[in-house]
């Protein structure tokens, strides 16, 4: 049991990802290739590891946190660390907070949106700006949540992956920021 | 505290046809009648129409033709936001050589807020950026137009008869007399306000046209009465058993914004052209002077005539409120700002017992008895370091501070009711007003150019918040 606690507290950044030094990444986080993490973004794996896929865009002041649920103390026994998985081609816009344990592909969480822990985003979902979604449900594919009343509608096509933006950022960000070191995926890290 | 500056905290009473209590920032001041006016005691006239997104100006006649809608801009049928045109590149066969394909631009409409696109309802992408989008035709347009024509003719006939009756009665007076009546009367069925812009002295073409019109409209428009049907379309059989897919159902608001079709399914929501907004000018009903006249250009926010109350009447604002306790006297700090450039003398008078305007106050108020003097507003004062500070002998019990054209003063408040509602006090404020607009009577001492001051009294009510526990 004690072993599990000491496993892999480091950050694994795949080759091809651009992660700025000013971002705060704590805990056991794996970041896939072609992902861009802006400065001042925060990825905090407190209660379990976070696995982030490829081609994601995590903008400034976004907070992706795998935290303990509110009524459970951090040190109590019997708490299994749950892994937070994030798929490919997602966009976390400026200032959003995401605690959802499972996020699929091609989702967009717009600025200052708040996604709770018990929400599961499938594919192509768009959580609109400043919408707080803290229900306990699976959001169906291609759903758009918008407006102050969190109205919902289904769109016919999924949002396009931000390839142009990602390419641009991967060229420009290294000119102005230092980047965190990437680790080759095949190599095992030793602490 | 910013909440003390909320506009509804201090309201002024307007004595018009109705007694209206409104913050000073929303009132107008007619300097010819020397009275406060609110939005309900003035007449509103439409100046011009413009589209809020492309800011295109349109004369009223053209606006009526287009049913008050912009030709270029669309509204999202889902969230009523403005739609933007987006372009994609699609491979399309070249017109010369069908085997080769080239990239052509295709345009579609998309909403930035709810991510609705024109492809959702099946509208094909257009090859031109603007002008390609059409609203669907209403199948009942012809019948509706015919009905409108018939009723317009009826209304015209009614109005002619009414005018003829009035003319017969007032045969001696100038014909202008009856047209004055119809300036403020809204026309039935929106025929247009052709009498509105008539200036006095101009010959009235309508009178001369009356006889002409009778000859013209000999062609009667007949309409067939609507036919009642006995049989109604039956409901589908699975009406009660079919599960509803909520994203497919339109909300009431979405449905009623398209009164032509009122679609029940979201896949039939077509975008509509954007509604035009209008610029309006306000006119005092008693003296017919303009109180507010905006500029014609939609991009300009300035006014040609702007007789707003805040530039003529001293404004009372709440600065700080101590803890208010039932039946205990507390001091509330208020500020009084002088908007004009001359010195203003202000006297505060508490409302008497049995004052008919004093219905809302829940506390007794003791106002300073002495006259308060406010310095004029001097725009250059803050830059002028060497200006001598004006010497007003201020009683420190009454005046807390003085800063250019503003003073802070104390009033004593004794809440009389112990209930949970807000403590409200009211008093009358009496100040001198120099009417710079009125013509100065040439007196013997022609050197004296100062217009005479008249004293105006306003009833002010303040809402001081709940009692402290």
């Amino acid at each position: 049991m004690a072993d599990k606690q000491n496993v892999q507290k480091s950050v694994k950044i795949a080759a091809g990802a651009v992660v700025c030094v000013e971002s705060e990444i704590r805990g056991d986080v794996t970041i896939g290739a072609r992902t861009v993490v802006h400065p001042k973004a925060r990825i905090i794996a407190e209660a379990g590891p976070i696995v982030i896929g490829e081609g994601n865009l995590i903008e400034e002041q976004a907070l992706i946190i795998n935290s303990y649920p509110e009524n459970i103390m951090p040190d109590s026994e019997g708490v299994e660390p749950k892994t937070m998985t994030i798929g490919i081609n997602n966009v976390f816009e400026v200032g959003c907070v995401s605690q959802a344990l499972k996020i699929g592909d091609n989702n967009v969480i717009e600025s200052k949106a708040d996604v709770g822990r018990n929400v599961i985003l499938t594919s192509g979902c768009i959580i609109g700006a400043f919408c707080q979604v803290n229900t306990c449900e699976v959001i169906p594919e291609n759903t758009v949540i918008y407006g102050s009343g969190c109205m919902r509608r289904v769109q016919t096509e999924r949002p396009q992956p931000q390839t142009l933006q990602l390419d641009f950022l991967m060229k420009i960000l290294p000119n102005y920021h230092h980047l965190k070191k990437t680790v080759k995926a095949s190599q095992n890290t030793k602490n | 505290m910013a909440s003390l500056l909320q506009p509804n905290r201090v309201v002024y009473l307007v004595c018009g046809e109705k007694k209206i209590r409104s913050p000073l920032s929303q009132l107008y001041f007619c300097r010819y009648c020397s009275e406060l006016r609110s939005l309900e005691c003035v007449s509103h006239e439409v100046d011009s129409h413009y589209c809020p997104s492309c800011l295109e100006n349109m004369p009223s006649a053209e606006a009526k033709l287009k049913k008050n809608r912009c030709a270029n801009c669309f509204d999202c049928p889902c969230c009523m936001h403005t739609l933007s045109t987006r372009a994609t590149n699609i491979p399309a066969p070249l017109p010369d050589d069908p085997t080769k394909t080239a990239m052509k631009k295709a345009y579609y409409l998309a909403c930035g807020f709810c991510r609705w696109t024109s492809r959702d309802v099946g509208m094909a992408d257009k090859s031109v950026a603007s002008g390609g989008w059409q609203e669907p035709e209403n199948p009942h347009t012809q019948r509706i137009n015919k009905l409108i024509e018939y009723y317009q003719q009826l209304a015209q006939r009614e109005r002619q008869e009414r005018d003829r009756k009035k003319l017969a009665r007032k045969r001696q007076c100038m014909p202008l007399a009856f047209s004055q009546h119809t300036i403020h009367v809204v026309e039935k069925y929106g025929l247009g306000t052709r009498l509105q812009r008539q200036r006095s002295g101009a010959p009235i073409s309508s009178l001369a046209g009356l006889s002409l019109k009778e000859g013209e409209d000999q062609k009667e428009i007949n309409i067939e009465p609507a036919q009642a049907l006995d049989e109604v379309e039956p409901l589908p059989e699975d009406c009660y058993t079919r599960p509803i897919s909520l994203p497919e159902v339109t909300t009431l608001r979405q449905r009623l914004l398209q009164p032509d079709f009122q679609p029940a399914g979201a896949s039939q929501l077509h975008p509509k052209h954007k509604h035009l907004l209008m610029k309006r000018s306000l006119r005092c009903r008693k003296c017919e002077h303009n109180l507010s006249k905006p500029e014609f250009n939609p991009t300009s926010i300035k006014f040609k005539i702007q007789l707003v109350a805040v530039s003529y009447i001293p404004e009372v604002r709440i600065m700080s409120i101590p803890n208010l306790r039932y039946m205990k006297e507390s001091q509330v700090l208020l500020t009084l700002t002088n908007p004009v450039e001359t010195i203003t003398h202000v006297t505060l008078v508490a409302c008497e017992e049995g004052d008919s305007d004093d219905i809302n106050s829940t506390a007794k108020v003791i106002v300073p008895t002495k006259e308060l003097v406010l310095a004029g507003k001097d725009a250059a004062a803050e830059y002028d370091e060497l200006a001598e500070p004006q010497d007003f002998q201020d009683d420190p019990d009454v005046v807390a501070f003085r800063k250019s054209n503003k003073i802070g003063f104390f009033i004593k408040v004794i809440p009389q009711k112990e209930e949970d509602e807000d403590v409200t006090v009211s008093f009358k404020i009496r100040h001198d007003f120099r009417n710079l607009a009125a013509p100065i009577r040439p007196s013997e001492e022609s050197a004296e150019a100062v217009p005479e001051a008249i004293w105006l009294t306003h009833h002010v009510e303040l809402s001081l918040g709940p009692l402290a526990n």
Side-chain angles (χ1 to χ4, degrees):
Chain A
M1 277 297 293
D3 243 20
K4 270 193 189 166
Q5 313 243 334
N6 292 336
V7 157
Q8 295 249 348
K9 291 284 190 178
S10 64
V11 178
K12 266 202 318 195
I13 303 177
V18 173
V19 180
C20 298
V21 153
E22 293 91 346
S23 63
E24 178 189 336
I25 307 187
R26 277 196 272 138
D28 179 10
V29 179
T30 314
I31 298 184
R34 296 202 73 230
T35 297
V36 176
V37 179
H38 282 235
K40 294 298 178 192
R42 292 161 59 205
I43 307 178
I44 299 175
E46 263 179 357
I50 297 182
V51 176
I52 300 182
E54 300 186 355
N56 293 302
L57 176 57
I58 303 170
E59 296 190 355
E60 288 88 344
Q61 301 197 357
L63 171 62
I64 303 178
I65 179 167
N66 186 357
S67 65
Y68 294 101
E70 278 168 15
N71 49 356
I72 298 184
M73 295 297 298
D75 291 328
S76 59
E77 295 292 328
V79 179
E80 285 287 321
K82 291 198 192 150
T83 310
M84 178 190 274
T85 5
I86 297 180
I88 63 176
N89 288 334
N90 297 301
V91 177
F92 295 83
E93 287 193 12
V94 174
C96 70
V97 175
S98 166
Q99 299 179 349
L101 279 178
K102 207 166 160 344
I103 297 182
D105 311 330
N106 288 339
N107 299 302
V108 177
I109 303 185
E110 287 189 5
S111 302
K112 296 219 170 190
D114 192 337
V115 183
R117 189 175 169 82
N118 296 321
V119 178
I120 296 181
L121 294 176
T122 48
S123 304
C125 301
I126 299 185
I127 314 283
F130 209 64
C131 289
Q132 282 139 13
V133 187
N134 39 26
T135 49
C136 180
E137 64 172 314
V138 176
I139 311 250
E141 289 203 8
N142 289 343
T143 309
V144 180
I145 300 182
Y146 66 96
S148 57
C150 287
M151 311 242 337
R152 298 192 183 191
R153 55 174 291 273
V154 177
Q155 51 177 0
T156 47
E157 43 191 42
R158 46 173 49 184
Q160 292 166 343
Q162 303 275 356
T163 31
L164 270 179
Q165 174 82 336
L166 282 172
D167 288 339
F168 177 73
L169 285 170
M170 284 168 57
K171 257 193 316 183
I172 295 281
L173 272 179
N175 292 346
Y176 297 98
H177 295 279
H178 292 288
L179 304 177
K180 293 203 178 176
K181 280 207 160 56
T182 62
V183 177
K184 284 221 171 61
S186 52
Q187 198 177 13
N188 281 330
T189 51
K190 291 186 185 157
N191 291 6
Chain B
M1 292 204 314
S3 60
L4 289 178
L5 293 174
Q6 290 291 321
N8 288 322
R9 289 284 195 146
V10 180
V11 289
Y12 283 65
L13 176 69
V14 178
C15 304
E17 295 157 4
K18 291 191 281 192
K19 300 221 179 212
I20 295 174
R21 287 166 168 76
S22 163
L24 199 66
S25 48
Q26 294 169 8
L27 292 177
Y28 297 86
F29 181 70
C30 181
R31 59 182 181 181
Y32 305 94
C33 313
S34 298
E35 272 175 23
L36 281 175
R37 297 261 177 261
S38 77
L39 275 180
E40 303 200 17
C41 353
V42 295
S43 60
H44 302 236
E45 296 161 3
V46 173
D47 257 0
S48 65
H49 297 266
Y50 68 98
C51 171
S53 72
C54 63
L55 293 179
E56 187 200 336
N57 220 338
M58 229 184 272
S60 306
E62 193 186 335
K64 260 195 77 180
L65 228 76
K66 297 193 181 163
K67 311 236 187 261
N68 288 340
R69 302 227 177 223
C70 177
N72 308 326
C73 309
F74 285 90
D75 270 344
C76 173
C78 188
C79 64
M80 296 91 204
H81 187 62
T82 312
L83 288 176
S84 49
T85 313
R86 301 225 184 116
T88 54
N89 282 324
I90 52 160
L94 278 175
D96 313 326
D97 197 350
T99 50
K100 291 208 201 118
T101 57
M103 300 304 280
K104 240 182 22 160
K105 276 206 181 300
Y107 299 94
Y108 63 97
L109 294 170
C111 172
F113 188 58
C114 68
R115 312 270 177 150
W116 180 93
T117 63
S118 56
R119 294 170 177 168
D120 284 354
V121 286
M123 288 168 76
D125 296 349
K126 303 276 186 274
S127 49
V128 283
S130 62
W133 304 99
Q134 302 291 338
E135 282 185 24
E137 265 285 319
N138 184 0
H140 306 293
T141 330
Q142 282 212 350
R143 166 86 175 152
I144 292 179
N145 283 341
K146 216 160 170 226
L147 283 171
I148 290 179
E149 272 178 32
Y150 173 73
Y151 281 109
Q152 272 180 358
Q153 199 190 44
L154 199 62
Q156 214 173 41
R157 226 180 274 156
E158 279 181 11
R159 194 175 352 110
Q160 281 171 11
E161 285 189 20
R162 186 179 66 207
D163 286 347
R164 211 179 301 142
K165 271 191 225 160
K166 277 208 157 64
L167 185 58
R169 263 188 274 144
K170 297 183 184 175
R171 217 173 283 152
Q172 302 307 315
C173 312
M174 282 293 290
L176 263 176
F178 78 82
S179 78
Q180 281 278 338
H181 166 78
T182 38
I183 282 181
H184 291 303
V185 169
V186 177
E187 308 239 331
K188 250 191 196 176
Y189 308 122
L191 263 182
T193 48
R194 59 193 165 90
L195 285 182
Q196 210 177 24
R197 300 267 176 249
Q198 225 143 36
R199 282 185 210 90
S200 47
I204 304 182
S205 49
S206 63
L207 241 201
L210 265 183
S211 45
L212 252 182
K213 283 223 164 31
E214 283 186 31
E216 264 177 22
D217 276 346
Q218 282 309 318
K219 116 182 128 106
E220 291 266 331
I221 302 180
N222 285 323
I223 49 163
E224 328 166 325
Q227 303 202 336
L229 294 170
D230 262 345
E231 282 187 12
V232 185
E233 228 177 73
L235 285 173
E237 280 180 4
D238 58 351
C239 180
Y240 294 109
T241 52
R242 185 183 41 183
I244 296 183
S245 138
L246 270 181
E248 256 301 303
V249 179
T250 52
T251 66
L252 258 188
R253 186 153 185 248
Q254 291 167 354
R255 213 180 288 191
L256 294 176
L257 274 177
Q258 313 218 348
D260 301 350
F261 305 99
Q262 295 183 31
S267 53
Q268 283 137 29
L269 280 176
H270 287 268
K272 283 213 113 173
H273 284 282
K274 206 165 179 58
H275 242 306
L276 297 176
L277 298 180
M278 65 173 187
K279 285 199 158 197
R280 62 178 172 184
S281 54
L282 303 170
R283 194 183 282 273
C284 172
R285 285 210 184 127
K286 285 198 192 144
C287 62
E288 305 280 345
H289 278 105
N290 254 327
L291 292 179
S292 159
K293 202 170 164 73
E295 287 211 2
F296 193 70
N297 192 358
T299 52
S300 161
I301 57 167
K302 296 197 184 156
F303 286 84
K304 288 184 198 156
I305 301 175
Q306 193 184 19
L307 296 179
V308 282
V310 278
S311 24
Y312 293 96
I313 311 283
E315 189 180 358
V316 176
R317 280 194 184 182
I318 307 176
M319 187 148 175
S320 77
I321 307 178
N323 286 331
L324 298 166
R325 295 191 200 284
Y326 175 58
M327 288 308 222
K328 295 237 168 34
E329 189 181 276
S330 357
Q331 265 196 352
V332 175
L333 180 59
L334 305 177
T335 60
L336 198 58
T337 315
N338 180 13
V340 293
E341 288 169 4
T342 53
I343 292 186
T344 310
H345 305 266
V346 177
T347 320
L348 301 166
V349 177
C351 291
E352 290 153 24
E353 292 282 329
D355 192 353
S356 56
D357 295 335
D358 189 13
I359 43 177
N360 282 338
S361 62
T362 59
K364 256 207 299 223
V365 62
I366 302 175
V367 290
T369 44
K370 280 205 266 193
E371 191 180 66
L372 302 165
V373 184
L374 296 171
K377 184 164 87 162
D378 190 1
E382 50 179 311
Y383 304 111
D384 195 359
E385 306 262 332
L386 302 173
E388 293 203 357
Q390 288 154 320
D391 202 13
F392 297 101
Q393 308 288 337
D394 287 333
D395 184 357
D397 283 339
V398 170
V399 175
F401 65 87
R402 180 180 286 273
K403 187 176 169 192
S404 64
N405 63 332
K406 182 158 77 162
I407 64 164
F409 64 100
F410 293 107
I411 59 168
K412 298 187 176 54
V413 171
I414 308 165
Q416 303 286 309
K417 293 210 184 134
E418 209 176 357
E419 289 129 17
D420 250 346
E421 41 179 59
D422 280 352
V423 175
T424 323
V425 299
S426 46
F427 51 83
K428 299 219 192 294
I429 168 174
R430 188 169 171 264
H431 68 103
D432 58 343
F433 167 66
R434 281 187 177 74
N435 194 353
L436 297 165
I440 303 169
R441 292 225 185 86
S443 49
E444 275 106 39
E445 333 125 45
S446 49
E448 273 289 314
V450 177
E452 291 217 350
I454 55 176
W455 290 86
L456 301 175
T457 309
H458 308 287
H459 178 91
V460 180
E461 289 181 10
L462 290 94
S463 161
L464 297 175
L467 290 169
N469 289 334

